[in-house]
Amino acid sequence: MKLGVNIDHIATLRNARGQNNPNLLRALKVCHHAKVDTLTVHLREDRRHIKDQDLLELKKNSKIPINLEMALTDEMIQIADKINPEFICLVPEKRNEITTEGGLNLNKISYPRLKKLLKISQKKNIQVSAFINPTKKMITLAKILGFDTVEIHTGPLDKKIIKKNIINKINEMIEYAYSKKLIVNVGHGLNFNNIKYIKKRRYVDTVHIGHFIISEAIFISLVKTIKTFRGLIKK
Ligand code: PXP
């Protein structure tokens, strides 16, 4: 399984101060160093974390393939056409949600817009994925609609008590999507504890993780940062 890291949360922290720290290009360097396989950025309609300029700069400077998460809107299609990310992941988007809440309902998307996006992506060799709930219906529809990739929503694994049927369903659907000759990614809510429940990983191309990696990084390096500062203020 390859690892895709979502750096939206670094932009959220940066935006809290309105300046340029933590800097996304510095984060990009770390990701290069750590040999991250894909870099995910979600350009939301309200630009609450990643801004248009971030996307431009990341694309310009990244040796890591960019996975652009986006809603299926005319504006985003235009931006994707201009930026040429290596991957696009279509996600549902609601203004007031804290994070992406559920999979995309492929019955309810605009098919003319999807057609437009797929035409661009075929011409430019961009892999297009749909972030969907783990159901046969959505996987089958993704295949019919011409997606080459699906990202199976693993959010239900991010619970205190994880039901066995949820684990089984996610793994069955990973295998089912693979059997339909789709590239299978997984993502959302994954962490050190629940990643073990992705049992069918031989069928998974990439796992996408954001919140946990960025928040865990605080604790991995907080002591070092405090010690460095203590050294600077010692008489
Ligand atoms: N995959 C998709 C499609 C997402 O929208 C997100 C959240 O931005 C993730 C993966 C990563 O989820 P998390 O931040 O919970 O690791």
Side-chain angles (χ1 to χ4, degrees):
M1 266 196 318
K2 289 181 273 185
L3 178 64
V5 174
N6 180 327
I7 59 168
D8 297 349
H9 307 279
I10 298 176
T12 302
L13 195 57
R14 175 201 61 189
N15 297 349
R17 267 293 166 104
Q19 291 176 344
N20 200 8
N21 194 37
N23 182 296
L24 286 185
L25 293 181
R26 189 172 163 200
L28 175 65
K29 269 194 195 160
V30 175
C31 290
H32 276 142
H33 182 70
K35 297 192 168 36
V36 163
D37 296 298
T38 336
L39 198 76
T40 295
V41 287
H42 183 177
L43 186 69
R44 296 187 80 103
E45 288 181 87
D46 62 8
R47 312 299 199 265
R48 76 164 80 137
H49 35 63
I50 296 292
K51 315 281 183 202
D52 298 65
Q53 188 63 21
D54 295 330
L55 184 57
L56 273 171
E57 285 177 9
L58 287 167
K59 180 64 182 129
K60 193 170 145 211
N61 291 287
S62 181
K63 292 193 193 84
I64 306 170
I66 301 281
N67 175 36
L68 174 63
E69 274 184 17
M70 57 176 244
L72 186 58
T73 63
D74 288 326
E75 185 200 18
M76 289 300 151
I77 293 172
Q78 219 180 7
I79 292 172
D81 192 17
K82 186 172 126 198
I83 298 283
N84 297 326
E86 283 76 6
F87 306 101
I88 288 172
C89 180
L90 293 182
V91 294
E93 212 175 283
K94 286 191 226 134
R95 278 285 145 104
N96 296 324
E97 68 190 355
I98 293 173
T99 178
T100 316
E101 281 172 355
L104 193 59
N105 182 350
L106 296 176
N107 281 308
K108 292 200 172 154
I109 58 172
S110 155
Y111 295 141
R113 278 198 204 122
L114 179 65
K115 212 170 147 194
K116 192 170 151 194
L117 178 68
L118 291 179
K119 203 169 155 198
I120 294 169
S121 65
Q122 274 152 16
K123 206 167 104 194
K124 300 192 162 187
N125 207 16
I126 302 171
Q127 259 182 41
V128 182
S129 160
F131 180 59
I132 52 171
N133 291 332
T135 67
K136 269 193 178 172
K137 203 170 148 190
M138 281 305 127
I139 293 166
T140 310
L141 196 49
K143 184 72 190 176
I144 293 168
L145 291 174
F147 286 91
D148 36 47
T149 309
V150 287
E151 180 171 331
I152 305 274
H153 189 353
T154 52
L157 296 177
D158 189 19
K159 294 266 181 333
K160 268 203 183 117
I161 297 165
I162 304 161
K163 292 192 183 132
K164 214 166 169 206
N165 65 328
I166 301 271
I167 299 170
N168 291 342
K169 181 85 179 167
I170 287 173
N171 284 290
E172 275 166 28
M173 291 305 110
I174 289 171
E175 194 166 1
Y176 179 70
Y178 185 83
S179 77
K180 290 274 166 198
K181 303 212 167 4
L182 286 158
I183 297 167
V184 188
N185 295 336
V186 293
H188 214 286
L190 293 170
N191 55 46
F192 286 161
N193 293 322
N194 62 12
I195 190 69
K196 63 177 176 280
Y197 298 124
I198 306 297
K199 295 177 197 284
K200 298 280 182 175
R201 50 185 74 177
R202 64 184 177 282
Y203 302 124
V204 176
D205 185 81
T206 304
V207 52
H208 290 285
I209 310 191
H211 185 75
F212 177 76
I213 286 191
I214 305 305
S215 44
E216 188 63 17
I218 294 173
F219 297 108
I220 288 178
S221 56
L222 193 57
V223 169
K224 196 173 163 205
T225 310
I226 292 170
K227 280 187 178 165
T228 304
F229 216 98
R230 216 179 262 299
L232 292 172
I233 60 174
K234 236 180 5 202
K235 280 207 179 144

